[in-house]
Amino acid sequence: MLKKILAVILTLSLVFSMTSLGYADDSKHTAIFVVGQSSYVQDNLSKSMDAATFIQNGRTYVPLRYLGLALGVNENNIQWDSTSQTATLSMNGTTLKFIIGKTTYYTNSQANSMDVAPLVKNGRTYLPARYVAEAFGYKVNWNGDTQAVTVYTDVTPQAPNDVWGFPLKATKAEIKAGSQYAQITDINGNTYNLDMGQKALLVLGHYFTDMSGKRIDWSKVWIDEYAKAWNMTPDDVRKVYPEGSYYISDKIDSDAMYVPFIPLAEAFGVPKENIQWDGQYLTIYGWDGIKDGYQKYTANSTACSAKWHDGTITNGNLAFPLLVINGVPMIGMGNVFDFDQIFFVDGAYCSLVKGYSNSGGWDIKNGTIEFGVIPKNVK
Protein backbone atom coordinates (compact mmCIF):
# COMPACT_ATOMS: atom_id res chain seq x y z
CA MET A 1 0.00 0.00 0.00
CA LEU A 2 3.01 2.25 -0.08
CA LYS A 3 2.13 5.25 -2.18
CA LYS A 4 4.84 6.83 -4.32
CA ILE A 5 6.76 8.15 -1.31
CA LEU A 6 8.09 9.04 -2.21
CA ALA A 7 26.94 36.38 13.99
CA VAL A 8 30.96 40.20 16.44
CA ILE A 9 31.52 39.96 13.08
CA LEU A 10 32.85 42.81 14.75
CA THR A 11 35.35 40.84 12.63
CA LEU A 12 34.16 37.45 13.65
CA SER A 13 33.16 34.20 12.05
CA LEU A 14 33.03 30.43 12.88
CA VAL A 15 34.45 27.08 12.06
CA PHE A 16 32.32 24.41 11.13
CA SER A 17 33.54 21.08 11.98
CA MET A 18 30.17 20.24 10.71
CA THR A 19 27.91 22.27 12.89
CA SER A 20 26.34 25.02 14.80
CA LEU A 21 25.66 27.43 17.52
CA GLY A 22 22.82 27.14 19.65
CA TYR A 23 19.22 27.47 19.99
CA ALA A 24 17.62 30.69 19.18
CA ASP A 25 16.18 32.22 22.23
CA ASP A 26 13.16 30.00 22.87
CA SER A 27 13.11 28.53 19.40
CA LYS A 28 14.81 25.89 17.34
CA HIS A 29 16.24 26.25 13.89
CA THR A 30 17.78 24.30 11.08
CA ALA A 31 20.80 25.80 9.33
CA ILE A 32 22.70 24.59 6.29
CA PHE A 33 26.13 25.75 5.13
CA VAL A 34 27.70 24.54 1.90
CA VAL A 35 31.47 24.57 1.32
CA GLY A 36 32.56 27.33 -1.06
CA GLN A 37 29.32 29.28 -0.82
CA SER A 38 28.85 32.76 0.65
CA SER A 39 25.26 32.05 1.55
CA TYR A 40 23.44 29.75 3.94
CA VAL A 41 19.95 28.45 4.48
CA GLN A 42 18.02 29.19 7.67
CA ASP A 43 14.68 27.49 8.11
CA ASN A 44 14.33 27.00 4.37
CA LEU A 45 15.26 30.60 3.43
CA SER A 46 18.51 31.44 1.63
CA LYS A 47 20.56 34.30 3.11
CA SER A 48 23.81 36.00 2.09
CA MET A 49 27.14 36.14 3.94
CA ASP A 50 30.24 38.28 3.38
CA ALA A 51 32.51 35.25 3.76
CA ALA A 52 32.42 31.72 2.45
CA THR A 53 32.46 28.38 4.15
CA PHE A 54 35.67 26.37 3.62
CA ILE A 55 37.40 23.16 4.66
CA GLN A 56 40.80 22.99 6.35
CA ASN A 57 42.47 20.09 8.13
CA GLY A 58 39.40 18.02 7.62
CA ARG A 59 37.10 20.54 9.28
CA THR A 60 34.46 22.78 7.80
CA TYR A 61 34.79 26.43 8.83
CA VAL A 62 31.72 28.67 8.82
CA PRO A 63 31.45 32.41 9.53
CA LEU A 64 30.47 32.75 13.19
CA ARG A 65 28.24 35.75 12.89
CA TYR A 66 26.10 34.09 10.30
CA LEU A 67 25.99 30.81 12.06
CA GLY A 68 24.83 32.59 15.19
CA LEU A 69 22.25 34.55 13.27
CA ALA A 70 21.07 31.44 11.49
CA LEU A 71 20.38 29.69 14.78
CA GLY A 72 18.89 32.70 16.55
CA VAL A 73 21.81 33.70 18.77
CA ASN A 74 21.45 37.33 19.80
CA GLU A 75 24.36 39.40 18.47
CA ASN A 76 24.67 41.05 21.90
CA ASN A 77 25.57 37.60 23.22
CA ILE A 78 28.46 37.17 20.79
CA GLN A 79 31.55 39.03 21.98
CA TRP A 80 35.09 39.36 20.65
CA ASP A 81 38.03 40.44 22.83
CA SER A 82 40.87 41.39 20.48
CA THR A 83 43.37 41.69 23.34
CA SER A 84 42.92 38.13 24.59
CA GLN A 85 41.85 36.84 21.18
CA THR A 86 38.78 35.30 22.78
CA ALA A 87 35.33 34.77 21.35
CA THR A 88 32.47 34.37 23.83
CA LEU A 89 29.01 33.11 23.02
CA SER A 90 26.09 32.92 25.45
CA MET A 91 22.67 31.40 25.19
CA ASN A 92 20.09 29.90 27.52
CA GLY A 93 22.41 29.84 30.54
CA THR A 94 25.37 28.38 28.66
CA THR A 95 28.50 30.47 28.00
CA LEU A 96 31.26 29.26 25.67
CA LYS A 97 34.75 30.73 25.34
CA PHE A 98 37.16 29.98 22.47
CA ILE A 99 40.74 31.31 22.23
CA ILE A 100 42.56 31.66 18.92
CA GLY A 101 45.19 28.94 18.49
CA LYS A 102 44.06 26.95 21.55
CA THR A 103 42.44 23.53 21.49
CA THR A 104 40.95 24.08 24.93
CA TYR A 105 37.58 25.79 25.14
CA TYR A 106 35.34 26.55 28.13
CA THR A 107 31.72 25.75 28.81
CA ASN A 108 30.55 27.78 31.83
CA SER A 109 34.23 27.90 32.96
CA GLN A 110 34.61 24.12 32.58
CA ALA A 111 37.64 23.27 30.42
CA ASN A 112 37.08 20.97 27.46
CA SER A 113 39.31 19.71 24.66
CA MET A 114 38.81 19.71 20.92
CA ASP A 115 40.88 18.35 18.06
CA VAL A 116 41.25 21.66 16.18
CA ALA A 117 41.95 25.24 17.23
CA PRO A 118 40.11 28.44 16.32
CA LEU A 119 41.87 30.44 13.63
CA VAL A 120 41.81 33.82 11.95
CA LYS A 121 41.58 34.03 8.19
CA ASN A 122 41.07 37.15 6.08
CA GLY A 123 40.21 39.17 9.16
CA ARG A 124 37.61 36.69 10.34
CA THR A 125 37.69 34.45 13.36
CA TYR A 126 36.59 30.89 12.79
CA LEU A 127 35.66 28.43 15.51
CA PRO A 128 35.14 24.66 15.52
CA ALA A 129 31.40 24.60 15.18
CA ARG A 130 30.62 21.08 16.26
CA TYR A 131 31.64 21.85 19.86
CA VAL A 132 29.55 25.00 19.88
CA ALA A 133 26.56 23.23 18.46
CA GLU A 134 26.58 20.29 20.81
CA ALA A 135 27.06 22.54 23.85
CA PHE A 136 23.84 24.28 22.87
CA GLY A 137 21.97 21.05 22.27
CA TYR A 138 22.17 20.77 18.52
CA LYS A 139 23.01 17.86 16.28
CA VAL A 140 25.19 18.07 13.20
CA ASN A 141 25.35 16.13 9.99
CA TRP A 142 28.00 16.30 7.29
CA ASN A 143 27.13 15.19 3.79
CA GLY A 144 30.32 14.68 1.84
CA ASP A 145 28.43 14.15 -1.37
CA THR A 146 26.82 17.59 -1.28
CA GLN A 147 29.63 19.25 0.77
CA ALA A 148 26.99 20.55 3.16
CA VAL A 149 26.82 20.68 6.92
CA THR A 150 23.39 20.68 8.50
CA VAL A 151 22.69 21.78 12.07
CA TYR A 152 19.37 20.60 13.40
CA THR A 153 17.42 19.39 16.43
CA ASP A 154 15.14 16.47 16.99
CA VAL A 155 11.53 17.17 16.23
CA THR A 156 8.59 16.59 18.55
CA PRO A 157 5.88 15.71 16.08
CA GLN A 158 2.19 16.30 16.48
CA ALA A 159 -0.31 13.57 15.81
CA PRO A 160 -2.90 14.06 13.09
CA ASN A 161 -6.50 13.74 14.21
CA ASP A 162 -7.22 10.75 12.00
CA VAL A 163 -5.63 8.53 9.38
CA TRP A 164 -6.40 11.09 6.69
CA GLY A 165 -3.86 13.48 8.20
CA PHE A 166 -3.73 17.16 9.06
CA PRO A 167 -6.24 19.84 7.97
CA LEU A 168 -5.65 21.09 4.46
CA LYS A 169 -4.29 24.67 4.38
CA ALA A 170 -3.97 25.27 0.66
CA THR A 171 -5.68 24.07 -2.48
CA LYS A 172 -3.30 25.16 -5.22
CA ALA A 173 0.32 25.99 -5.97
CA GLU A 174 1.71 27.54 -9.13
CA ILE A 175 5.48 27.71 -9.62
CA LYS A 176 7.73 28.83 -12.47
CA ALA A 177 11.21 27.54 -13.18
CA GLY A 178 13.78 30.03 -11.92
CA SER A 179 11.42 31.56 -9.37
CA GLN A 180 11.94 31.42 -5.63
CA TYR A 181 8.26 32.07 -5.05
CA ALA A 182 5.20 29.92 -5.35
CA GLN A 183 1.74 31.39 -5.70
CA ILE A 184 -0.37 29.62 -3.13
CA THR A 185 -4.16 29.59 -2.97
CA ASP A 186 -5.23 28.97 0.61
CA ILE A 187 -8.23 27.02 1.78
CA ASN A 188 -10.36 30.21 1.79
CA GLY A 189 -9.50 31.08 -1.80
CA ASN A 190 -6.98 33.82 -0.95
CA THR A 191 -3.66 33.88 -2.80
CA TYR A 192 -0.21 34.79 -1.53
CA ASN A 193 3.42 34.41 -2.58
CA LEU A 194 5.37 31.80 -0.66
CA ASP A 195 9.13 32.34 -0.42
CA MET A 196 10.47 28.83 -0.89
CA GLY A 197 14.05 29.90 -0.09
CA GLN A 198 15.41 28.24 -3.20
CA LYS A 199 14.49 28.57 -6.85
CA ALA A 200 12.42 25.98 -8.59
CA LEU A 201 14.63 24.45 -11.24
CA LEU A 202 14.45 22.43 -14.37
CA VAL A 203 16.96 19.70 -13.57
CA LEU A 204 18.64 17.87 -16.41
CA GLY A 205 20.65 14.70 -16.34
CA HIS A 206 24.18 15.42 -17.49
CA TYR A 207 24.37 12.50 -19.85
CA PHE A 208 22.04 10.18 -21.67
CA THR A 209 22.54 7.25 -23.98
CA ASP A 210 20.82 7.33 -27.37
CA MET A 211 19.30 4.39 -29.22
CA SER A 212 22.64 3.42 -30.75
CA GLY A 213 24.28 3.26 -27.34
CA LYS A 214 26.19 6.49 -27.81
CA ARG A 215 26.65 8.54 -24.62
CA ILE A 216 25.69 12.17 -25.21
CA ASP A 217 26.30 15.19 -23.01
CA TRP A 218 22.68 16.23 -22.62
CA SER A 219 23.64 19.50 -20.88
CA LYS A 220 25.13 20.76 -24.17
CA VAL A 221 22.27 19.91 -26.47
CA TRP A 222 19.13 20.10 -24.33
CA ILE A 223 18.03 23.52 -25.58
CA ASP A 224 18.06 22.34 -29.18
CA GLU A 225 16.35 19.08 -28.26
CA TYR A 226 13.62 20.87 -26.33
CA ALA A 227 13.05 23.20 -29.25
CA LYS A 228 12.59 20.24 -31.59
CA ALA A 229 10.34 18.28 -29.25
CA TRP A 230 7.96 21.15 -28.39
CA ASN A 231 7.92 23.03 -31.69
CA MET A 232 9.87 25.93 -30.23
CA THR A 233 12.96 27.81 -31.36
CA PRO A 234 16.12 27.64 -29.24
CA ASP A 235 15.55 31.30 -28.37
CA ASP A 236 12.05 30.42 -27.18
CA VAL A 237 13.52 27.79 -24.89
CA ARG A 238 16.08 30.25 -23.53
CA LYS A 239 13.29 32.71 -22.72
CA VAL A 240 11.36 30.10 -20.81
CA TYR A 241 14.45 28.63 -19.13
CA PRO A 242 17.04 31.43 -18.79
CA GLU A 243 20.31 31.03 -16.91
CA GLY A 244 19.54 30.34 -13.27
CA SER A 245 16.35 28.43 -13.97
CA TYR A 246 17.98 25.09 -14.70
CA TYR A 247 20.52 22.84 -13.06
CA ILE A 248 22.68 20.03 -14.43
CA SER A 249 22.95 16.93 -12.27
CA ASP A 250 24.60 13.54 -12.56
CA LYS A 251 21.99 12.18 -10.15
CA ILE A 252 19.10 11.86 -12.58
CA ASP A 253 18.64 10.12 -15.91
CA SER A 254 15.94 12.39 -17.34
CA ASP A 255 14.73 15.95 -16.97
CA ALA A 256 12.25 16.99 -14.30
CA MET A 257 10.97 20.13 -12.58
CA TYR A 258 12.37 20.33 -9.05
CA VAL A 259 10.84 22.36 -6.22
CA PRO A 260 11.85 22.91 -2.57
CA PHE A 261 10.09 20.23 -0.59
CA ILE A 262 9.76 21.54 2.98
CA PRO A 263 8.12 24.98 2.49
CA LEU A 264 5.53 23.50 0.17
CA ALA A 265 4.74 20.71 2.61
CA GLU A 266 4.18 23.31 5.34
CA ALA A 267 2.05 25.45 3.02
CA PHE A 268 -0.31 22.58 2.37
CA GLY A 269 -0.69 21.69 6.04
CA VAL A 270 2.13 19.53 7.36
CA PRO A 271 3.22 21.07 10.72
CA LYS A 272 6.78 22.37 10.88
CA GLU A 273 7.27 20.25 14.01
CA ASN A 274 6.69 17.16 11.95
CA ILE A 275 9.44 17.75 9.40
CA GLN A 276 13.07 16.86 10.09
CA TRP A 277 15.93 17.39 7.64
CA ASP A 278 19.39 16.33 8.80
CA GLY A 279 21.21 16.72 5.50
CA GLN A 280 20.95 13.04 4.70
CA TYR A 281 17.39 12.05 5.45
CA LEU A 282 14.15 13.97 5.13
CA THR A 283 11.52 12.56 7.48
CA ILE A 284 7.90 13.66 7.63
CA TYR A 285 5.96 12.46 10.66
CA GLY A 286 2.23 11.98 11.00
CA TRP A 287 1.73 9.36 8.34
CA ASP A 288 -1.11 6.88 8.73
CA GLY A 289 -2.77 8.78 11.57
CA ILE A 290 -0.02 8.52 14.21
CA LYS A 291 2.64 11.02 15.23
CA ASP A 292 5.53 8.57 14.87
CA GLY A 293 4.28 7.24 11.58
CA TYR A 294 6.53 8.61 8.89
CA GLN A 295 7.63 8.87 5.33
CA LYS A 296 11.41 9.03 4.94
CA TYR A 297 13.40 10.04 1.88
CA THR A 298 17.14 9.67 1.25
CA ALA A 299 19.29 12.47 -0.19
CA ASN A 300 20.25 12.00 -3.83
CA SER A 301 18.35 8.77 -4.05
CA THR A 302 14.93 7.53 -5.03
CA ALA A 303 14.89 5.31 -1.93
CA CYS A 304 12.07 5.99 0.51
CA SER A 305 10.24 4.19 3.29
CA ALA A 306 7.08 4.49 5.36
CA LYS A 307 6.17 3.49 8.89
CA TRP A 308 2.52 2.57 9.40
CA HIS A 309 0.21 2.62 12.44
CA ASP A 310 0.92 -1.06 13.18
CA GLY A 311 4.69 -0.54 13.16
CA THR A 312 5.16 -2.04 9.72
CA ILE A 313 7.87 -0.41 7.62
CA THR A 314 7.63 -0.64 3.86
CA ASN A 315 10.08 0.48 1.21
CA GLY A 316 9.54 2.13 -2.13
CA ASN A 317 10.99 4.53 -4.66
CA LEU A 318 10.36 8.08 -5.79
CA ALA A 319 9.95 8.78 -9.48
CA PHE A 320 13.05 11.02 -9.31
CA PRO A 321 15.85 11.21 -6.73
CA LEU A 322 15.44 13.61 -3.81
CA LEU A 323 18.14 16.07 -4.89
CA VAL A 324 20.03 18.30 -2.46
CA ILE A 325 20.76 21.65 -4.10
CA ASN A 326 22.57 24.28 -1.99
CA GLY A 327 21.75 22.12 1.00
CA VAL A 328 18.02 22.22 0.30
CA PRO A 329 16.04 19.02 -0.32
CA MET A 330 14.19 19.25 -3.64
CA ILE A 331 11.48 16.99 -5.00
CA GLY A 332 11.37 16.24 -8.70
CA MET A 333 8.25 16.09 -10.79
CA GLY A 334 7.58 14.84 -14.25
CA ASN A 335 3.88 15.30 -13.57
CA VAL A 336 1.79 16.57 -10.70
CA PHE A 337 1.35 13.16 -9.13
CA ASP A 338 5.05 12.90 -8.28
CA PHE A 339 4.44 15.58 -5.64
CA ASP A 340 0.90 15.31 -4.49
CA GLN A 341 0.83 11.57 -3.98
CA ILE A 342 3.24 12.11 -1.11
CA PHE A 343 0.64 14.12 0.78
CA PHE A 344 -2.84 13.69 -0.56
CA VAL A 345 -5.43 10.98 -0.78
CA ASP A 346 -5.22 8.98 -3.93
CA GLY A 347 -7.20 5.82 -3.47
CA ALA A 348 -5.30 4.70 -0.38
CA TYR A 349 -6.72 4.62 3.13
CA CYS A 350 -4.38 7.19 4.70
CA SER A 351 -2.59 10.43 3.92
CA LEU A 352 -0.60 13.27 5.49
CA VAL A 353 -2.98 16.08 4.59
CA LYS A 354 -6.74 15.81 4.21
CA GLY A 355 -7.26 16.51 0.56
CA TYR A 356 -7.79 14.78 -2.74
CA SER A 357 -5.45 15.23 -5.68
CA ASN A 358 -7.38 17.33 -8.14
CA SER A 359 -5.52 18.86 -11.05
CA GLY A 360 -2.26 20.18 -12.38
CA GLY A 361 0.87 19.27 -14.26
CA TRP A 362 4.13 20.53 -15.67
CA ASP A 363 3.75 22.83 -18.64
CA ILE A 364 7.12 22.31 -20.26
CA LYS A 365 6.62 24.97 -22.94
CA ASN A 366 5.90 27.64 -20.31
CA GLY A 367 8.25 26.36 -17.61
CA THR A 368 5.54 26.18 -14.98
CA ILE A 369 4.11 23.53 -12.72
CA GLU A 370 0.77 23.62 -10.98
CA PHE A 371 -0.97 21.25 -8.62
CA GLY A 372 -4.40 21.48 -7.09
CA VAL A 373 -6.14 19.79 -4.17
CA ILE A 374 -9.69 19.67 -2.88
CA PRO A 375 -10.57 19.07 0.79
CA LYS A 376 -11.33 15.46 1.63
CA ASN A 377 -14.90 16.25 2.67
CA VAL A 378 -15.68 17.59 -0.81
CA LYS A 379 -16.69 15.01 -3.37
Side-chain angles (χ1 to χ4, degrees):
M1 295 296 296
L2 181 64
K3 298 196 315 183
K4 201 190 292 181
I5 300 180
L6 319 104
V8 295
I9 193 173
L10 310 173
T11 69
L12 211 59
S13 296
L14 169 5
V15 135
F16 219 177
S17 158
M18 304 181 199
T19 266
S20 129
L21 264 189
Y23 290 149
D25 296 329
D26 301 323
S27 62
K28 300 177 182 179
H29 301 273
T30 296
I32 303 166
F33 293 84
V34 180
V35 172
Q37 292 193 5
S38 56
S39 64
Y40 64 97
V41 174
Q42 178 201 39
D43 297 339
N44 307 317
L45 297 178
S46 180
K47 302 189 177 186
S48 298
M49 303 188 291
D50 62 1
T53 300
F54 68 93
I55 293 178
Q56 183 170 307
N57 298 326
R59 295 301 184 192
T60 308
Y61 289 76
V62 175
L64 171 61
R65 175 173 180 262
Y66 299 102
L67 181 61
L69 290 175
L71 297 176
V73 177
N74 190 310
E75 285 197 77
N76 293 330
N77 293 330
I78 304 173
Q79 301 176 351
W80 169 246
D81 186 328
S82 59
T83 301
S84 64
Q85 296 284 283
T86 300
T88 303
L89 306 92
S90 301
M91 181 179 300
N92 296 337
T94 297
T95 297
L96 306 178
K97 290 182 180 291
F98 294 85
I99 305 172
I100 297 301
K102 303 293 184 180
T103 58
T104 296
Y105 71 101
Y106 300 86
T107 304
N108 291 340
S109 299
Q110 174 68 48
N112 307 279
S113 296
M114 50 189 174
D115 59 1
V116 291
L119 56 81
V120 174
K121 181 179 180 179
N122 297 329
R124 297 289 186 264
T125 302
Y126 294 83
L127 308 178
R130 173 174 293 279
Y131 301 96
V132 180
E134 293 178 350
F136 284 126
Y138 276 85
K139 294 184 177 182
V140 181
N141 185 74
W142 165 252
N143 189 320
D145 186 30
T146 61
Q147 294 286 281
V149 60
T150 302
V151 182
Y152 67 101
T153 61
D154 284 331
V155 299
T156 304
Q158 304 175 27
N161 52 13
D162 58 38
V163 297
W164 299 105
F166 298 96
L168 187 66
K169 289 186 175 181
T171 61
K172 187 178 181 181
E174 298 176 78
I175 311 167
K176 184 172 179 59
S179 177
Q180 186 169 312
Y181 298 88
Q183 185 179 75
I184 304 295
T185 302
D186 69 19
I187 196 67
N188 297 313
N190 303 308
T191 62
Y192 67 94
N193 287 328
L194 172 70
D195 188 342
M196 300 183 293
Q198 166 73 44
K199 295 178 180 179
L201 297 167
L202 167 63
V203 179
L204 304 152
H206 203 130
Y207 300 102
F208 77 99
T209 303
D210 66 14
M211 295 297 291
S212 68
K214 181 181 179 181
R215 193 178 190 218
I216 299 174
D217 188 340
W218 171 249
S219 66
K220 295 181 179 179
V221 301
W222 76 271
I223 291 177
D224 291 336
E225 293 299 318
Y226 260 52
K228 293 176 186 177
W230 302 104
N231 195 28
M232 302 166 70
T233 68
D235 282 343
D236 289 334
V237 177
R238 292 186 182 94
K239 289 176 182 178
V240 175
Y241 299 105
E243 286 290 335
S245 70
Y246 60 89
Y247 180 89
I248 310 300
S249 173
D250 291 325
K251 305 297 182 183
I252 69 172
D253 298 322
S254 61
D255 56 306
M257 179 75 86
Y258 269 79
V259 296
F261 189 99
I262 295 175
L264 285 168
E266 292 181 14
F268 276 94
V270 180
K272 177 180 180 180
E273 295 81 3
N274 284 49
I275 305 173
Q276 181 168 311
W277 168 240
D278 66 7
Q280 186 66 45
Y281 297 103
L282 175 65
T283 307
I284 305 179
Y285 292 94
W287 175 252
D288 201 19
I290 57 173
K291 67 180 180 181
D292 61 345
Y294 63 72
Q295 294 184 12
K296 179 181 288 188
Y297 315 99
T298 303
N300 298 314
S301 170
T302 60
C304 53
S305 62
K307 180 180 178 181
W308 304 75
H309 70 277
D310 61 0
T312 300
I313 297 176
T314 56
N315 298 311
N317 291 280
L318 294 168
F320 299 95
L322 181 79
L323 293 187
V324 182
I325 301 175
N326 300 328
V328 176
M330 308 273 285
I331 189 75
M333 292 177 281
N335 61 65
V336 65
F337 297 108
D338 296 330
F339 180 87
D340 65 13
Q341 286 186 358
I342 301 172
F343 301 107
F344 313 123
V345 182
D346 184 46
Y349 60 86
C350 60
S351 182
L352 274 168
V353 176
K354 295 198 288 189
Y356 288 99
S357 304
N358 183 33
S359 64
W362 175 20
D363 185 336
I364 295 175
K365 295 187 69 172
N366 291 314
T368 58
I369 193 159
E370 172 188 314
F371 38 95
V373 190
I374 56 176
K376 176 181 175 292
N377 59 348
V378 176
K379 301 296 184 181

